[in-house]
Amino acid sequence: MLRTHTCGELRIDNVGEEVILTGWVAKIRDLGPMIFIDLRDRYGITQIRVDVNNFYRNAGSEIIISEMEAKDKKAAFLSKIGREYVLKVSGIVEERSSKNNDIPTGAIEIVVNLSPKSELNASGYAIKNGVHKYIQVLNPSKLPPFLIEDETDGGDDLRMKYRYLDLRRNPVRRNLELRHRVMRETRNYLDGHYFIEVETPVLIKSTPEGARDFVVPSRMNPGEFYALPQSPQTFKQLLMVSGFDKYYQIVKCFRDEDLRADRQPEFTQIDCELSFVTQEDILHTFEGLIHHLFQKVKGINLPKMPRMTYADAMRLYGSDKPDTRFGMQFVELNNLVKNKGFKVFDDAELIVGINAEGAANYTRKQLDELTDFVKRPQIGATGLVYARVNEDGSVKSSVDKFYSPEDLAEWARAFNAKPGDLLLVLAGGKDKTRKALNELRLEMGSRLGLRDKDTFSALWVVDFPLLEWDEETGRYHAMHHPFTSPKPEDLELIDDRPSDIRANAYDMVINGVEVGGGSIRIHDRRLQEQMFRLLGFSNDEAKAQFGFLMEAFEYGAPPHGGIAFGFDRLCSIFGGSDSIRDYIAFPKNNSGRDVMIDAPSPISDTQLDELHIRMRNITAPQGK
Amino acid sequence: MLRTHTCGELRIDNVGEEVILTGWVAKIRDLGPMIFIDLRDRYGITQIRVDVNNFYRNAGSEIIISEMEAKDKKAAFLSKIGREYVLKVSGIVEERSSKNNDIPTGAIEIVVNLSPKSELNASGYAIKNGVHKYIQVLNPSKLPPFLIEDETDGGDDLRMKYRYLDLRRNPVRRNLELRHRVMRETRNYLDGHYFIEVETPVLIKSTPEGARDFVVPSRMNPGEFYALPQSPQTFKQLLMVSGFDKYYQIVKCFRDEDLRADRQPEFTQIDCELSFVTQEDILHTFEGLIHHLFQKVKGINLPKMPRMTYADAMRLYGSDKPDTRFGMQFVELNNLVKNKGFKVFDDAELIVGINAEGAANYTRKQLDELTDFVKRPQIGATGLVYARVNEDGSVKSSVDKFYSPEDLAEWARAFNAKPGDLLLVLAGGKDKTRKALNELRLEMGSRLGLRDKDTFSALWVVDFPLLEWDEETGRYHAMHHPFTSPKPEDLELIDDRPSDIRANAYDMVINGVEVGGGSIRIHDRRLQEQMFRLLGFSNDEAKAQFGFLMEAFEYGAPPHGGIAFGFDRLCSIFGGSDSIRDYIAFPKNNSGRDVMIDAPSPISDTQLDELHIRMRNITAPQGK
């Protein structure tokens, strides 16, 4: 290699060695008699010291050119290097006079003695002094459009355009190093548990179920398209039919959906499937995976993950992905507050609240903010009722007009509230009110500092409903996907109360984020057909789209189930970030564009012709 | 899990244990008083013994139903199971009376005692006998369309359509297990050498350079398309600019080319790039990788790989990927055979031959076959000259009319031929003749049994030309790709003899197959621009397509280089197969179709509309 050591490698034990380093100029300091250069690479930073005295003295310390000439030489030297230049430096490791304890190489520096005979080379970039002590510019750099430092001055757009420079910054590089580590430990765990990684195809078939597909026109099959997989779902089930028994794949998936900060058109999944298992086996195996990852990557031993039914999660947190880093569980007040003359509560399907412990000192202004918060259109509550528990135990509420001190004392008891607590109550339709109170609970959790990103609380949410009714299309949708099996004991509800059927489906939730989910699958053709009918597929549609899978079920399909983890999301949780983009090397923006390479982009007419397609807004030539 | 053990796990030490196995019925043998079932899963086969005596005796060996009734019970039992049924079997491990040494579980069998009280359960598939000893049908199976055995009777088409059943066969499953092992060991080696795996995007930008792109119309960016990557080339170079230093990725790549047996539209690559390296560093690192893989996966210690220049490979083997499992190097005869009155040789640019050792006994018919072989249009030789070295040392040739015994003795000396050898000589234009003789050499290697698939011969071919002239387009093409750097010492040829410029490019060849290739890249904007000009790009074209890369070169691009290995191909070599399809779970056929899922397929008009495209053969509606 061009170097003998990396910039993160040299220690006090190396003093006296002749070394060659390569890297980027992170900083140049001209301190008169000495020039210091911080040389950076992926592995660290090493200080380079250029002794300016040597610009006019020879090896025997004899002055051989004038101070003025030496100054010119120094100026020429400084003019030839700059921030982010790529250098190759040959010098001697010396002990620093003042140690820098912030970096592992802080005990040493590399001393380069440039003598008056040092010359710029032909390319104008190299300053050499014999074979072993020199500074050579391997490549110069224009001034970067933003600071390549841990804290940068670059805005999002600029950093996206020059992503290759943003990736040079330590925090961004560390995110990808973390990702690599999580990936490696995932494979170590799964390989150790006899899983086989099998690659499934990227060019597959478009199906109308689920999100929108990205499609690929086929040149060899005119009028036909491949689709990019939203997940390898059917393939992994076929692998179970094949007897692969334990499959995994860390795999790119694709969804052509409208984008948000935490969504990307292409994302990575840890995709797994197992045969001859119960739900319990899957929860056990993958709780083990996440424990392994926390242990190996974060050094944290997570406790056993509690299980919560979907019904309880909705009742206690108003969400199927509760943030359980803090309590503040919902308390339903219907039995307590009705028929006291307060029409809002009397008319409400559900009256439900939370106890924001210690927030009784919230000012009028803060309470107004919370009221405004819950009344936002995307949250949609009509108002907020609050009640403070005073130091003397009395309760002061915004609805004192309707409720006696004794009534309010009952509220406090229902919330298990102490002096200093603040009760926040919403009322209205059940689903909407729970959803709104979930938002308020998360907001209060953030305000009260209960959502520390270095604290991790994981749980399983189980017993999801099999179906959800979609008002828009007037039919049932599969809550997980159409291959999820119903709980056998709920099958009798299939005709009369299909929405009450529970599925053998489960999600893993960490800190209020769904990091993974899966189900025990259907492995019986007749049940699968029944499921498709329930979802409004005609027999022909079901057969055209999933005939191959249903046929496979007739050739000895074992009972099987699986799970998939959102890998980008998992990495962002490990890294303590809300944005998955920070953990993707080359993410796309909210319009699905890669602004660095400027994709997507128009293609040539020849390409369109070969693919048998044309753009919709191009009118067909007349008479041709 | 539904089982206590796998079908490959039980040994003599387990005798006496109560176990539960799950798996597929590989074989049923009705031996009168006993029924034997071979139960198969991914891990192996275990024999199940059902003792028919117990059909009419109770636990105390007392006969409680008649022989006739017992026969009915046995018939009912046999009618309820069949090949490829999925069973759950509970029984006791017993020592076999006659051991089967062919399988690891051959010392034991599982004995299931079905008593007369055994009943078919409600679903009609389960035969139970108390809690712990039973055979339960978890799923029945239709008769598979071909035999699920190591040697199958299924043709290619049928096995592609029912790929999930073909994957159930041991040899196919073992191929994918091999693939997993190669993948794991690749990662182990590269992780151990400080490489970081970074995922690069799949939705990128279409470029006209190289093979045809698969494209993906963008819904959010009307009129624009993403392309699927033919390789992550530019991204890995950008990662080097970012300072990632050592990158790898095992990654899917895509080429919309016409397919052959050894080509797939999607394929997997081990993609690597390193900074601050020389060609020597790369050859060393990746020779190490392949040595590691052979050691870990095959238990073979390969010798150090020889280096051969492209020029030598063409001169000695007529190929840039010589099969060096055998010698039979080319011998050029121009100096020896001209001006003796044989016009074919006199007019030829090159007269070149091989010595097929020990083949002097080839019959007239065999020699005619060889002549026909070289005259095939795809090989294109005009004829074949041969010369046999007789036992007495005399040489008998097909051109005795023109050459004296002394001339022919000289030929034999040139070939270092011994009695019993057969010399085969072609003549014509240099390139075409070398190409034809390469084919003949490989054919003779096969015929003489010199191409054993369990013998491995690896080498590096180096010093590839930078450019090749393309007659069709009348311009130079990059032999490797436009980012490959020329050898600095050859740069002076750039204006006058560009085709003589050698590149810092290298291929690894094993057994005549190019398994990997790479180059030291250009990292200087001006040189990259010069390269694009040489390849006929206008400045605007170069900027539109690769502007982001050239701009990146101005912000401190380090010297860098890399390599990519064809992963499917590598696996097929490890497995001793010519076909990469055998190492891909769900391959496509020669028309790019997945016949199992029936993809590609038409998509809906709604989808076309959303993507702003229409099919070319649909005329635009008039007046709308």
Side-chain angles (χ1 to χ4, degrees):
Chain A
M1 301 200 58
L2 303 188
R3 66 192 174 214
T4 58
H5 296 78
T6 70
C7 293
E9 197 172 351
L10 295 166
R11 299 287 184 278
I12 195 79
D13 289 348
N14 300 99
V15 164
E17 291 180 25
E18 278 196 16
V19 299
I20 302 175
L21 301 189
T22 54
W24 286 261
V25 175
K27 209 180 276 179
I28 307 166
R29 278 161 299 156
D30 174 7
L31 300 186
M34 289 178 191
I35 298 166
F36 291 101
I37 301 169
D38 279 355
L39 197 66
R40 178 196 353 97
D41 67 11
R42 168 185 144 195
Y43 309 93
I45 283 185
T46 299
Q47 177 166 290
I48 313 298
R49 195 182 91 208
V50 181
D51 200 337
V52 172
N53 276 333
N54 293 309
F55 279 88
Y56 50 101
R57 290 172 198 272
N58 69 7
S61 275
E62 191 185 353
I63 295 175
I64 60 165
I65 60 172
S66 71
E67 199 174 336
M68 193 64 85
E69 283 176 291
K71 272 193 175 152
D72 287 348
K73 273 203 176 279
K74 177 178 160 183
F77 173 80
L78 285 171
S79 76
K80 289 295 177 195
I81 57 171
R83 285 179 88 122
E84 301 308 321
Y85 276 47
V86 186
L87 301 188
K88 182 177 174 188
V89 173
S90 168
I92 308 284
V93 185
E94 290 194 9
E95 186 171 0
R96 281 209 213 178
S97 54
S98 63
K99 201 176 158 186
N100 176 353
N101 288 314
D102 294 341
I103 55 174
T105 64
I108 58 91
E109 62 193 358
I110 311 301
V111 179
V112 187
N113 284 313
L114 296 170
S115 82
K117 289 199 176 147
S118 302
E119 290 295 341
L120 305 189
N121 82 348
S123 79
Y125 299 125
I127 299 167
K128 293 197 178 184
N129 177 26
V131 179
H132 287 301
K133 286 169 224 152
Y134 56 84
I135 292 181
Q136 185 184 353
V137 176
L138 295 175
N139 217 346
S141 174
K142 295 204 291 195
L143 192 68
F146 49 84
L147 286 174
I148 313 290
E149 289 178 5
D150 290 7
E151 296 292 327
T152 183
D153 55 350
D156 274 358
D157 291 349
L158 205 57
R159 287 188 294 119
M160 287 281 267
K161 180 166 163 56
Y162 294 96
R163 181 69 175 172
Y164 50 87
L165 294 178
D166 205 27
L167 286 170
R168 210 181 273 168
R169 297 171 48 236
N170 289 325
V172 187
R173 194 197 62 244
R174 276 192 215 115
N175 286 348
L176 295 187
E177 287 172 347
L178 174 82
R179 185 180 176 105
H180 175 59
R181 219 155 52 240
V182 177
M183 195 176 267
R184 198 160 86 190
E185 288 301 337
T186 300
R187 289 199 163 92
N188 282 348
Y189 180 87
L190 294 173
D191 289 347
H193 284 73
Y194 302 101
F195 283 77
I196 301 182
E197 184 161 23
V198 179
E199 291 166 80
T200 54
V202 175
L203 296 171
I204 66 165
K205 183 173 173 165
S206 186
T207 58
E209 191 63 17
R212 217 182 271 108
D213 284 326
F214 282 106
V215 300
V216 180
S218 167
R219 180 178 58 86
M220 294 175 79
N221 302 276
E224 300 191 319
F225 292 75
Y226 302 99
L228 305 183
Q230 295 182 30
S231 91
Q233 183 62 36
T234 51
F235 288 98
K236 68 176 175 175
Q237 293 193 242
L238 290 174
L239 286 171
M240 294 304 105
V241 178
S242 298
F244 271 75
D245 201 73
K246 289 178 166 186
Y247 144 92
Y248 83 98
Q249 189 182 188
I250 302 184
V251 60
K252 274 277 175 78
C253 300
F254 306 86
R255 277 177 209 178
D256 186 9
E257 292 182 285
D258 295 331
L259 302 172
R260 298 190 305 240
D262 62 341
R263 265 200 204 155
Q264 285 278 310
E266 52 180 295
F267 54 96
T268 302
Q269 208 165 274
I270 307 173
D271 193 51
C272 305
E273 196 80 6
L274 302 83
S275 291
F276 302 115
V277 286
T278 61
Q279 174 169 313
E280 191 55 41
D281 298 316
I282 295 184
L283 301 196
H284 178 75
T285 302
F286 293 96
E287 185 164 330
L289 168 66
I290 299 299
H291 276 168
H292 174 85
L293 293 179
F294 268 94
Q295 221 286 313
K296 293 290 181 181
V297 177
K298 304 283 294 180
I300 291 174
N301 291 309
L302 280 194
K304 185 161 168 48
M305 298 185 195
R307 316 269 171 92
M308 190 183 293
T309 64
Y310 173 87
D312 280 350
M314 297 309 290
R315 188 172 53 80
L316 296 172
Y317 298 95
S319 167
D320 59 0
K321 40 179 197 244
D323 185 344
T324 50
R325 278 174 295 186
F326 62 107
M328 216 186 278
Q329 290 185 347
F330 290 10
V331 175
E332 300 189 353
L333 301 175
N334 287 31
N335 293 335
L336 223 56
V337 301
K338 291 229 177 199
N339 305 317
K340 304 277 178 171
F342 185 39
K343 194 167 169 358
V344 173
F345 281 5
D346 287 348
D347 291 351
E349 185 185 7
L350 180 69
I351 305 104
V352 59
I354 49 175
N355 176 6
E357 293 181 31
N361 59 354
Y362 257 43
T363 61
R364 177 83 225 173
K365 181 154 168 288
Q366 285 173 305
L367 290 166
D368 286 347
E369 275 170 20
L370 293 181
T371 306
D372 290 346
F373 175 83
V374 297
K375 286 166 98 172
R376 286 185 201 170
Q378 65 269 38
I379 296 182
T382 47
L384 173 68
V385 168
Y386 64 84
R388 289 192 179 96
V389 186
N390 297 323
E391 285 307 319
D392 62 3
S394 67
V395 181
K396 171 85 189 127
S397 84
S398 57
V399 287
D400 281 358
K401 181 152 48 157
F402 303 103
Y403 297 94
S404 67
E406 292 70 33
D407 291 338
L408 294 173
E410 285 242 41
W411 291 26
R413 270 193 295 280
F415 281 103
N416 207 12
K418 332 170 284 301
D421 289 353
L422 175 69
L423 313 180
L424 299 169
V425 179
L426 299 181
K430 189 172 74 175
D431 293 349
K432 205 170 166 181
T433 304
R434 283 178 172 171
K435 191 171 162 293
L437 191 60
N438 167 51
E439 297 293 340
L440 181 61
R441 175 179 174 271
L442 294 176
E443 173 68 17
M444 287 311 297
S446 296
R447 285 176 180 237
L448 297 174
L450 304 172
R451 303 178 73 192
D452 173 21
K453 69 185 179 51
D454 292 326
T455 300
F456 297 95
S457 176
L459 77 157
W460 290 103
V461 177
V462 299
D463 295 356
F464 275 80
L466 183 69
L467 304 165
E468 54 184 351
W469 181 256
D470 185 59
E471 288 294 343
E472 205 173 311
T473 56
R475 64 175 184 91
Y476 285 107
H477 280 260
M479 194 152 193
H480 194 64
H481 56 50
F483 313 108
T484 296
S485 68
K487 285 194 183 286
E489 62 268 32
D490 289 359
L491 256 183
E492 58 185 37
L493 307 171
I494 203 157
D495 293 320
D496 299 332
R497 289 157 48 207
S499 46
D500 286 348
I501 303 173
R502 290 166 306 159
N504 284 317
Y506 32 81
D507 278 357
M508 187 191 285
V509 176
I510 303 180
N511 292 3
V513 175
E514 178 210 323
V515 295
S519 63
I520 300 294
R521 325 299 183 186
I522 296 168
H523 64 281
D524 177 82
R525 178 175 184 137
R526 287 172 302 174
L527 183 56
Q528 187 66 69
E529 281 174 342
Q530 203 173 6
M531 185 69 186
F532 280 128
R533 273 198 302 276
L534 206 56
L535 297 173
F537 283 64
S538 74
N539 278 350
D540 284 352
E541 283 167 351
K543 210 174 154 184
Q545 287 161 34
F546 299 109
F548 62 96
L549 185 65
M550 291 195 289
E551 194 173 4
F553 285 171
E554 297 192 291
Y555 288 102
H560 61 287
I563 196 167
F565 289 89
F567 188 72
D568 312 292
R569 181 69 33 86
L570 201 57
C571 291
S572 77
I573 285 184
F574 277 104
S577 164
D578 291 333
S579 166
I580 63 169
R581 272 191 207 165
D582 296 345
Y583 296 83
I584 295 174
F586 298 101
K588 295 191 173 54
N589 73 8
N590 279 352
S591 316
R593 294 200 73 81
D594 182 327
V595 295
M596 180 186 71
I597 64 171
D598 193 25
S601 61
I603 60 173
S604 72
D605 289 344
T606 316
Q607 278 175 292
L608 290 173
D609 282 351
E610 284 185 333
L611 298 171
H612 323 284
I613 58 172
R614 58 163 57 119
M615 301 315 303
R616 203 179 44 185
N617 54 350
I618 299 170
T619 311
Q622 298 296 315
K624 279 192 182 172
Chain B
M1 300 200 56
L2 303 189
R3 65 193 175 214
T4 58
H5 296 78
T6 70
C7 293
E9 197 173 351
L10 294 166
R11 298 287 184 277
I12 195 78
D13 290 348
N14 300 100
V15 164
E17 291 180 23
E18 277 196 16
V19 299
I20 302 175
L21 300 189
T22 54
W24 286 261
V25 175
K27 210 180 275 177
I28 306 168
R29 278 162 301 157
D30 174 8
L31 300 186
M34 288 177 191
I35 298 166
F36 291 100
I37 301 168
D38 279 356
L39 197 67
R40 181 201 344 101
D41 67 9
R42 168 185 144 196
Y43 309 93
I45 282 186
T46 299
Q47 178 166 291
I48 313 298
R49 195 184 89 209
V50 180
D51 201 337
V52 173
N53 276 332
N54 293 309
F55 279 89
Y56 50 101
R57 288 172 200 272
N58 69 6
S61 275
E62 192 184 352
I63 294 174
I64 59 164
I65 60 173
S66 72
E67 198 172 339
M68 195 64 85
E69 283 176 291
K71 269 189 178 156
D72 287 348
K73 274 203 176 278
K74 177 177 158 181
F77 174 80
L78 284 172
S79 76
K80 289 295 177 195
I81 57 172
R83 287 179 87 122
E84 301 308 323
Y85 276 46
V86 186
L87 302 187
K88 181 176 173 188
V89 174
S90 168
I92 308 284
V93 184
E94 290 195 7
E95 186 169 0
R96 281 207 212 178
S97 53
S98 63
K99 199 175 159 186
N100 177 353
N101 288 313
D102 294 341
I103 53 173
T105 63
I108 57 92
E109 61 193 359
I110 311 301
V111 179
V112 185
N113 285 313
L114 294 171
S115 83
K117 292 199 177 144
S118 301
E119 291 294 342
L120 305 190
N121 81 348
S123 78
Y125 297 128
I127 298 166
K128 292 199 179 184
N129 177 26
V131 180
H132 287 301
K133 287 169 221 150
Y134 56 85
I135 292 182
Q136 185 184 352
V137 176
L138 294 174
N139 217 346
S141 174
K142 294 205 292 194
L143 192 69
F146 50 84
L147 286 174
I148 313 290
E149 290 177 5
D150 290 7
E151 296 293 325
T152 183
D153 56 350
D156 275 358
D157 291 347
L158 206 57
R159 288 189 292 117
M160 287 282 267
K161 179 166 163 56
Y162 295 94
R163 180 68 175 173
Y164 50 88
L165 294 177
D166 204 27
L167 286 170
R168 210 182 273 170
R169 298 193 309 115
N170 289 324
V172 187
R173 195 198 59 244
R174 277 191 214 113
N175 286 347
L176 294 189
E177 287 172 346
L178 173 83
R179 185 181 176 105
H180 175 60
R181 217 154 55 240
V182 177
M183 196 176 266
R184 197 160 87 191
E185 288 301 337
T186 299
R187 288 200 163 92
N188 281 349
Y189 180 87
L190 294 173
D191 290 346
H193 284 73
Y194 302 100
F195 283 78
I196 300 183
E197 184 161 22
V198 179
E199 291 166 81
T200 55
V202 175
L203 296 171
I204 66 165
K205 183 175 173 165
S206 187
T207 58
E209 191 63 18
R212 217 182 270 107
D213 284 325
F214 283 106
V215 299
V216 180
S218 168
R219 180 178 57 86
M220 294 175 78
N221 302 275
E224 299 191 321
F225 292 75
Y226 302 98
L228 305 183
Q230 296 182 30
S231 91
Q233 184 63 34
T234 50
F235 288 98
K236 69 176 174 174
Q237 291 193 242
L238 290 175
L239 286 172
M240 294 304 106
V241 177
S242 300
F244 271 74
D245 202 73
K246 288 178 167 185
Y247 144 92
Y248 83 99
Q249 189 181 190
I250 302 184
V251 60
K252 276 278 176 76
C253 300
F254 306 85
R255 278 178 208 177
D256 186 11
E257 290 182 288
D258 296 331
L259 302 172
R260 297 188 308 239
D262 61 340
R263 264 201 205 153
Q264 285 279 312
E266 52 181 297
F267 54 97
T268 303
Q269 209 164 274
I270 307 173
D271 193 51
C272 306
E273 197 80 8
L274 302 82
S275 290
F276 302 116
V277 286
T278 62
Q279 173 169 316
E280 192 54 40
D281 297 316
I282 294 184
L283 301 197
H284 178 75
T285 302
F286 292 96
E287 185 164 329
L289 168 65
I290 299 299
H291 276 168
H292 173 86
L293 292 179
F294 268 95
Q295 223 285 311
K296 294 290 180 181
V297 178
K298 304 283 292 180
I300 292 173
N301 291 309
L302 280 193
K304 186 163 165 47
M305 298 184 194
R307 315 269 172 94
M308 189 183 295
T309 64
Y310 173 87
D312 280 350
M314 296 310 289
R315 188 171 55 79
L316 296 172
Y317 298 94
S319 168
D320 59 1
K321 41 179 196 241
D323 185 345
T324 50
R325 279 175 294 187
F326 63 107
M328 216 186 277
Q329 289 185 347
F330 292 8
V331 174
E332 300 189 353
L333 301 173
N334 287 31
N335 294 336
L336 224 56
V337 301
K338 291 228 177 199
N339 305 318
K340 304 278 180 170
F342 184 41
K343 196 168 169 354
V344 174
F345 282 4
D346 286 349
D347 292 351
E349 185 187 7
L350 178 70
I351 305 103
V352 60
I354 51 175
N355 177 5
E357 293 182 32
N361 59 354
Y362 256 44
T363 62
R364 180 78 227 175
K365 182 158 166 286
Q366 286 173 305
L367 290 166
D368 286 348
E369 275 170 20
L370 293 181
T371 307
D372 290 345
F373 176 84
V374 299
K375 285 166 97 171
R376 286 184 199 170
Q378 65 269 40
I379 297 183
T382 49
L384 173 68
V385 168
Y386 64 84
R388 289 194 177 93
V389 186
N390 297 320
E391 285 309 316
D392 63 2
S394 69
V395 181
K396 173 80 187 132
S397 83
S398 58
V399 287
D400 281 359
K401 187 156 42 162
F402 303 104
Y403 297 94
S404 67
E406 291 72 33
D407 291 336
L408 293 173
E410 285 242 39
W411 290 26
R413 269 195 295 282
F415 281 102
N416 206 13
K418 332 170 285 301
D421 289 353
L422 174 69
L423 312 180
L424 299 168
V425 179
L426 299 180
K430 189 173 72 175
D431 294 347
K432 204 169 163 181
T433 304
R434 282 179 171 170
K435 190 171 161 294
L437 191 60
N438 166 52
E439 298 292 341
L440 182 61
R441 175 180 174 272
L442 294 176
E443 173 69 17
M444 288 310 298
S446 297
R447 285 176 177 240
L448 298 174
L450 304 171
R451 302 178 73 192
D452 173 21
K453 68 185 178 53
D454 293 323
T455 301
F456 297 95
S457 177
L459 78 156
W460 290 105
V461 176
V462 298
D463 295 356
F464 275 79
L466 183 68
L467 305 165
E468 54 185 350
W469 181 255
D470 185 59
E471 289 293 343
E472 205 175 310
T473 55
R475 65 176 183 89
Y476 284 107
H477 281 261
M479 195 154 193
H480 194 64
H481 56 50
F483 314 107
T484 297
S485 69
K487 285 191 183 288
E489 62 268 33
D490 288 0
L491 256 183
E492 60 184 37
L493 307 171
I494 203 158
D495 293 320
D496 299 332
R497 291 158 47 207
S499 45
D500 287 348
I501 302 173
R502 289 167 306 160
N504 284 317
Y506 33 81
D507 278 357
M508 186 190 285
V509 175
I510 303 180
N511 292 3
V513 175
E514 179 210 322
V515 294
S519 64
I520 300 294
R521 325 299 184 186
I522 295 168
H523 64 280
D524 177 82
R525 177 174 185 138
R526 288 171 304 175
L527 183 55
Q528 187 65 67
E529 281 174 340
Q530 204 173 5
M531 185 69 185
F532 282 128
R533 274 198 300 276
L534 207 55
L535 297 173
F537 283 63
S538 74
N539 277 351
D540 284 351
E541 284 167 350
K543 210 175 154 184
Q545 289 161 32
F546 299 109
F548 61 97
L549 185 66
M550 291 195 289
E551 194 174 3
F553 286 171
E554 295 191 291
Y555 288 102
H560 61 285
I563 196 165
F565 289 89
F567 189 72
D568 312 292
R569 181 69 34 85
L570 201 57
C571 291
S572 78
I573 286 183
F574 277 105
S577 163
D578 291 334
S579 166
I580 63 169
R581 272 190 208 167
D582 296 344
Y583 297 83
I584 294 174
F586 298 101
K588 294 192 173 54
N589 74 7
N590 279 352
S591 314
R593 293 200 73 82
D594 182 328
V595 294
M596 181 185 72
I597 62 169
D598 193 26
S601 60
I603 59 173
S604 71
D605 289 345
T606 316
Q607 278 177 293
L608 290 173
D609 281 352
E610 284 186 332
L611 298 171
H612 323 283
I613 58 173
R614 56 165 56 116
M615 301 315 302
R616 203 179 45 186
N617 53 352
I618 299 171
T619 312
Q622 298 296 316
K624 281 196 182 169

